[in-house]
Amino acid sequence: MALNYDEKSDSLSVDLSSKKAHVSLEVSPRFIIDLTASNQPTGIELLDASEVLSKLFGVKIKKSDLHKLHCKINEQAIRRKEELYATFELGNKTARLLIPTNYQSPVVASG
């Protein structure tokens, strides 16, 4: 799983699988999920990532620290279509983000 942080745009992307995304959906104002044609998640993107993750961790996180961030996804949950969480680790702190499974948001981009 690849995690990429762009400090200039303050965006964080996490590749959940090597499958090609068919569509990207904005599931909340700062959260985009990439899906295959069969609606399996292939990636997530957080906009304003330092602010979103600061709220998740409950402490102010500097943009420069986000390059040290690690993320884990339970891949079995993807296959089973169960509730899916991204677990972020930064130093000795851990935070979990629920990845929505109700994809009824407008299309952001289609490929």
Side-chain angles (χ1 to χ4, degrees):
M1 171 183 341
L3 184 130
N4 298 300
Y5 176 66
D6 182 323
E7 193 168 333
K8 185 176 180 181
S9 66
D10 194 22
S11 63
L12 176 77
S13 62
V14 180
D15 295 329
L16 304 177
S17 80
S18 60
K19 294 180 181 178
K20 183 176 164 85
H22 175 71
V23 68
S24 295
L25 301 177
E26 184 177 9
V27 294
S28 74
R30 297 180 181 160
F31 190 77
I32 297 168
I33 188 162
D34 298 325
L35 302 169
T36 64
S38 61
N39 284 339
Q40 287 191 317
T42 63
I44 59 173
E45 184 174 3
L46 293 176
L47 307 177
D48 300 321
S50 60
E51 185 177 332
V52 171
L53 291 168
S54 290
K55 287 180 183 178
L56 265 181
F57 280 96
V59 295
K60 176 72 176 157
I61 296 176
K62 298 177 197 171
K63 290 181 180 182
S64 59
D65 288 339
L66 288 178
H67 295 286
K68 304 171 192 170
L69 189 71
H70 296 279
C71 180
K72 296 178 187 173
I73 303 285
N74 181 349
E75 293 181 27
Q76 290 179 354
I78 295 173
R79 287 190 287 276
R80 295 181 189 154
K81 297 185 179 181
E82 297 174 346
E83 202 166 64
L84 185 61
Y85 286 89
T87 302
F88 294 100
E89 297 173 351
L90 186 61
N92 62 352
K93 297 185 183 299
T94 301
R96 289 178 49 179
L97 175 68
L98 176 64
I99 298 173
T101 55
N102 183 6
Y103 311 112
Q104 297 179 359
S105 186
V107 172
V108 173
S110 182

